[in-house]
Amino acid sequence: MRSFPSDLAQAQQEWSATYRQLAERPGRIELRRRLYRLSAQLFFHPYRQQRRPSPAAWWELRDLERSGRDVS
């Protein structure tokens, strides 16, 4: 399992929570804006700029929340 920076893992957790909220209340502009902001933060994070992330790395990051593992 890879080790991800805590701010990257936190942003992914916030992205997932915001996505779920938007699914429950579609059309909420503030949630869409937050999702866009978090998406950019995740995609352009310095950790991701060091090397191109594989699809497996994206899934591992997203899976941190589901598995309940420590993000640090």
Side-chain angles (χ1 to χ4, degrees), residues 1 16 36 40-41 53 61:
M1 176 52 82
S16 296
Y36 289 144
Q41 185 178 351
L61 180 61

Side-chain angles (χ1 to χ4, degrees), residues 1-6 8-9 47-48 57 60-61 64 71-72:
M1 176 52 82
R2 292 174 228 270
S3 172
F4 296 103
S6 60
L8 180 62
Y47 177 81
R48 296 292 192 194
E60 284 183 33
L61 180 61
L64 285 175
V71 296
S72 51

